[in-house]
Amino acid sequence: MSETGEEVQDADALRQALKEARAEVETVRREMAGASAKQEKLLRTHEEALDRVRQAGDREVIAAELRAEAIRYGAHNPEDVVRLIDASDVVRDADGRVQGVAEAVERARKDRAYLFGEMSRAGVATGTTAGRSAPRPGGGEPFDARRANGADYEARKWQFLAQG
């Protein structure tokens, strides 16, 4: 009979251990579900913040492109042009390039001509700002045989004689 009593106690102890293990597993599952929900919420929050930052960056890049194009088109005040322009067609593609800027500024120039003066040209002074003319291709400085070392002098002499 003692064997049966021990077996009953062992079975009761096993049942109690199993019940405790199941309760512990259920507690861990609830904690995991809570952690998973918290992680998903954080992920959504971070994605929303990243999306807001990207949109703000895109707006700034588009505004800078519009400002530069307005200056090129001769805007009196490029900031006003950027504020008043219809930039709904101006987009930034996946590669980071801004498209539709020239068309939007051209449309604004036609619709609101009072915001623009003459287009700036290279080498023309406008107001207090002077544009520089484009560099001209040409030869280098003239060769001074008196200041050249022996090797340079010989090389130039042979080039001159080879020209005929």
Side-chain angles (χ1 to χ4, degrees):
M1 225 179 182
S2 66
E3 285 183 20
T4 309
E6 287 179 14
E7 287 177 10
V8 170
Q9 286 179 351
D10 287 342
D12 288 339
L14 285 175
R15 283 188 189 111
Q16 184 62 28
L18 180 61
K19 185 187 273 187
E20 290 172 2
R22 284 182 179 164
E24 187 175 336
V25 165
E26 190 60 35
T27 303
V28 169
R29 282 185 182 158
R30 280 193 302 264
E31 289 175 1
M32 289 292 291
S36 177
K38 186 176 179 180
Q39 180 182 10
E40 288 176 15
K41 182 180 176 186
L42 283 173
L43 182 63
R44 274 193 311 274
T45 303
H46 289 294
E47 285 176 351
E48 290 169 0
L50 182 62
D51 191 41
R52 284 192 306 271
V53 168
R54 280 187 185 139
Q55 289 175 357
D58 286 349
R59 280 192 305 270
E60 290 297 319
V61 169
I62 288 171
E65 289 284 333
L66 287 170
R67 193 176 307 110
E69 193 70 13
I71 289 170
R72 196 172 80 61
Y73 273 80
H76 297 297
N77 189 343
E79 294 296 327
D80 288 345
V81 173
V82 171
R83 280 189 222 112
L84 295 173
I85 200 166
D86 176 25
S88 59
D89 295 338
V90 180
V91 293
R92 189 170 180 197
D93 63 9
D95 295 332
R97 286 175 276 163
V98 181
Q99 297 178 347
V101 173
E103 295 83 9
V105 175
E106 183 64 36
R107 221 176 20 251
R109 188 167 189 213
K110 288 178 184 174
D111 295 344
R112 295 187 168 113
Y114 61 90
L115 293 173
F116 296 88
E118 291 185 34
M119 288 182 72
S120 60
R121 292 174 288 164
V124 176
T126 57
T128 58
T129 307
R132 297 185 181 190
S133 60
R136 294 186 178 152
E141 294 185 21
F143 180 70
D144 187 2
R146 293 176 291 182
R147 294 189 181 151
N149 62 24
D152 288 340
Y153 176 77
E154 289 295 320
R156 287 291 184 122
K157 180 174 78 172
W158 286 109
Q159 286 176 353
F160 178 73
L161 292 174
Q163 289 177 357

